[in-house]
Amino acid sequence: MDKIVSQFLAQVNARNQNEPEFMQAVTEVAETVIPYIVKQDIYYGQNILLRMVEPERVVSFRVAWIDDNEEIQVNRGYRIEMNSAIGPYKGGLRFHPSVNLSILKFLAFEQIFKNSLTTLPMGGGKGGSDFDPKGKSDTEVMRFCQSFMTELFRHIGPNRDIPAGDIGVGSREIGYLFGQYKRLKNEFTGVLTGKGVSWGGSLIRPEATGYGVVYFARQMLAHQNEGLEGKTVVISGSGNVAQFAAEKIIQLGGTVLTLSDSSGYIYDADGIDEEKLSYVMNLKNVKRDRIHHYVTKYPKATFHAGKTPWEVPCKVALPCATQNELDGKAAALLIKNGCLCVSEGANMPSTPEAIEQFANHKVLFAPGKASNAGGVAVSGLEMAQNSLRYSWSREEVDQRLQTIMNDIHKSCVQFGAEGDHVNYVKGANIAGFVKIADAMLAQGVV
Ligand code: NDP
Ligand code: 2IT
């Protein structure tokens, strides 16, 4: 078995050199899915995984724009259209200086499985740019978004490819992108998700990823006859996903001890309550400032520059910032301090070494493609509402979100149960794969 997996990975690596993040995501899937494929006559010999790792289409383009000093800036834009077996390409746009082909291909690859797990008809895609929104004025961000969409618009559409937000792309950016698409096409369609509620957005979409991460953690704990109430929770990041994960933890009776950004983390031993969280939301979403200001406002809290929060003892850890932010050393610390459950809000935040340690110590561990699927799931519900030209209430969308997260948990248990333990990595990968593979087989060699 190991030989089949390593031969497969060598073949993929030969064609995708210098793409470490992409290979990391493919390796995890290959190690769990290939042993399943070889036992299934219908899949074996069809090279389905080899087809899945090859994007259906990759678009890369120049984004030139003029900054506030009237200087010409050039960035690179991308859209990876990875797989359309079960629906139009769907996935976010990331604006961050680290963006490159490897990062977007890993994200687009994971998105295929995630979208399949939601049970909604969405293929996998991802895009973005190495543009850094930090420190830019609103009008600079608008000009960049307009230039970006002036190329992207010809590749996307409500039945073709539907982008959304990710790191550095929130409601402000989606607004500018939507405005430019509408102007170029002269059509008001649901081509993007994460729109404002007065112009086609869905209630609960801003909250959905973070809420979903917590709903998934709740299911994992319930499966072990445990609950979130009274548990200490460490969260990384302080953006969209982290904020609403924190909100839901507070609502369900847990204690949020930390939040972070790329400069360090804040630790509040008294817990970040609703009022403190609303300060953070204003600081991050309106002032667009750094998390360390929290300790000026709440002096009992401490700021730890240049550090990640995994050294703080907790029962539940929710990594909600970025890929590979939780390494083997951090995992060992979490385990030593008694952590029971890790539910990933970010995409691939735990390194392979960290995941191995969680498995060895039977920590409940949910990979992002399962636990953060609530965001894209509600994007799918936004698309459904746009098609219906109708909108559902907050309660209705939240109820559907909870049902979807519970169903993803069930699928993970179905394909990942190992005795009294659940291997959620294996469960998510196989459950996601089966639906795509069946659709690809039915549609022939394309
Ligand atoms: P935001 O841009 O709203 O927030 C990102 C947060 O992560 C910020 O606190 C940011 O800090 C921190 N961060 C980003 N890059 C780094 C880095 N290299 N090192 C340390 N910290 C970093 O993004 P989101 O909250 O939307 O996304 C967070 C994660 O969740 C990403 O992995 C994303 O792919 C994933 N995700 C998002 C979904 C969504 O619906 N938005 C859906 C599913 C997954 P700073 O401000 O200092 O950069
Ligand atoms: O990683 C993700 O799932 C997202 N950034 C959300 C994608 C979407 O289309 O809502």
Side-chain angles (χ1 to χ4, degrees), residues 136-430:
K136 304 287 191 301
S137 68
D138 282 354
T139 52
E140 286 178 321
V141 171
M142 182 178 76
R143 285 198 293 277
F144 172 81
C145 288
Q146 290 177 341
S147 180
F148 182 85
M149 186 53 88
T150 301
E151 173 58 33
L152 186 68
F153 90 101
R154 69 189 85 249
H155 307 289
I156 62 176
N159 296 308
R160 179 183 296 178
D161 184 352
I162 304 92
D166 193 80
I167 291 177
V169 178
S171 55
R172 174 183 61 171
E173 290 74 18
I174 293 293
Y176 296 149
L177 291 164
F178 183 79
Q180 184 71 353
Y181 181 89
K182 183 162 62 66
R183 179 158 71 154
L184 291 165
K185 292 287 278 192
N186 195 20
E187 277 173 13
F188 194 112
T189 60
V191 67
L192 292 154
T193 59
K195 300 184 292 296
V197 280
S198 63
W199 42 282
S202 175
L203 290 163
I204 300 284
R205 177 61 189 90
E207 294 88 341
T209 311
Y211 280 15
V213 170
V214 176
Y215 292 148
F216 201 89
R218 180 173 67 178
Q219 282 308 111
M220 288 198 289
L221 288 164
H223 201 65
Q224 301 287 326
N225 299 317
E226 287 268 7
L228 278 166
E229 204 175 339
K231 295 260 186 323
T232 47
V233 182
V234 158
I235 300 180
S236 66
S238 49
N240 172 267
V241 181
Q243 290 171 16
F244 289 103
E247 183 170 283
K248 187 52 74 180
I249 288 287
I250 297 166
Q251 286 171 8
L252 296 180
T255 304
V256 178
L257 297 176
T258 66
L259 287 170
S260 73
D261 61 22
S262 55
S263 39
Y265 76 89
I266 57 107
Y267 170 49
D268 189 334
D270 293 338
I272 299 166
D273 59 19
E274 269 173 25
E275 183 242 306
K276 294 171 180 173
L277 183 61
S278 79
Y279 166 80
V280 171
M281 289 185 177
N282 185 56
L283 178 73
K284 284 283 156 186
N285 309 346
V286 181
K287 296 193 173 139
R288 301 185 187 274
D289 213 333
R290 312 305 295 160
I291 196 69
H292 68 79
H293 290 294
Y294 185 95
V295 302
T296 313
K297 172 86 178 161
Y298 303 106
K300 276 164 80 187
T302 50
F303 176 65
H304 304 262
K307 294 203 160 178
T308 52
W310 317 122
E311 59 195 17
V312 174
C314 64
K315 292 291 175 207
V316 176
L318 307 178
C320 297
T322 194
Q323 64 276 354
N324 292 327
E325 56 165 317
L326 197 170
D327 62 11
K329 243 171 95 182
L333 256 180
L334 283 170
I335 293 163
K336 187 175 128 237
N337 289 331
C339 178
L340 302 172
C341 171
V342 179
S343 184
E344 292 189 334
N347 287 305
M348 207 169 74
S350 308
T351 64
E353 296 73 30
I355 296 173
E356 194 182 339
Q357 299 211 43
F358 293 141
N360 291 343
H361 290 84
K362 298 230 154 74
V363 172
L364 297 169
F365 172 74
K369 59 170 82 77
S371 47
N372 74 32
V376 76
V378 174
S379 279
L381 301 179
E382 182 171 329
M383 289 162 67
Q385 293 169 82
N386 291 165
S387 297
L388 290 169
R389 300 189 187 284
Y390 191 69
S391 49
W392 296 324
S393 69
R394 240 186 118 76
E395 292 68 31
E396 197 163 355
V397 179
D398 191 37
Q399 198 49 56
R400 286 176 195 263
L401 170 63
Q402 294 192 49
T403 304
I404 289 170
M405 297 315 295
N406 294 353
D407 288 347
I408 296 174
H409 183 268
K410 275 190 212 143
S411 300
C412 291
V413 174
Q414 185 190 341
F415 288 97
E418 293 175 344
D420 61 353
H421 182 69
V422 182
N423 180 340
Y424 287 93
V425 175
K426 179 172 136 193
N429 287 341
I430 298 177

